[in-house]
Amino acid sequence: MDDIAVAVELVTDPAAAASVADVAARTFPLACPPHATPDDISGFIENNLRENNFREHIAEPQTDVLVARDGAGGPIVGYALVFHREPTDPDVCAVVTGRPATEVSKLYVLPDHHSRQGASPSRLLMTAALERARSHGSSVVWLGVNQQNVRAQRFYAKMDFTRVGEKTFTLGDSVEHDYVFTLRL
């Protein structure tokens, strides 16, 4: 695994949606807070991270689905979902004031690829997301991360994001508290 270069690509073929959805379903629970119930997690996956959801994202011109593969043409080991649109959440609008804005909505990597030697899939996905934001003319990139997800917060800080505020995220019957991070381009 460590001697194969990671390849990151923009997904344009809807046929890849099932593979992306599989990785999404496997990785989403990893970022959930410990108190999240299995029902809430599975409900979110069922409503937001299925093949049809990714087919729609791939077809949407203001959305990018990026994947990291274990080598060119290899299996998908991570993905990012990037929205090139203005935020609508009032808490986000209050702290993300630059326009145009891009949101890195999801960025997840399979656990056995987290501590990979060389360029990590996470870093490569984020770099690609930032390049896509620039290509869409965005002046700022923002994201939300659960306040209990310290590992992800450290990663975003290493990528030069700054914590600027807070927002909530509904996961089933639970209201989660996220930090909002931004990066000016």
Side-chain angles (χ1 to χ4, degrees), residues 77-152:
V77 299
Y79 81 101
L81 182 60
V82 184
F83 298 124
H84 307 285
R85 61 185 185 209
E86 305 308 317
T88 56
D89 181 291
D91 293 330
V92 174
C93 290
V95 295
V96 178
T97 56
R99 298 291 185 268
T102 288
E103 176 191 8
V104 177
S105 173
K106 309 273 183 285
L107 194 152
Y108 295 110
V109 173
L110 293 171
D112 54 342
H113 294 272
H114 283 180
S115 299
R116 192 175 178 131
Q117 297 292 326
S120 74
S122 305
R123 184 170 290 278
L124 293 171
L125 282 166
M126 182 59 80
T127 299
L130 297 175
E131 289 170 5
R132 296 297 301 163
R134 285 184 187 95
S135 75
H136 279 263
S138 293
S139 66
V140 63
V141 176
W142 72 275
L143 56 87
V145 59
N146 188 277
Q147 290 180 5
Q148 294 183 37
N149 192 342
V150 176
R151 180 180 185 165

Side-chain angles (χ1 to χ4, degrees), residues 12-29:
T12 58
D13 182 357
S19 296
V20 179
D22 175 63
V23 171
R26 292 166 51 200
T27 56
F28 179 74

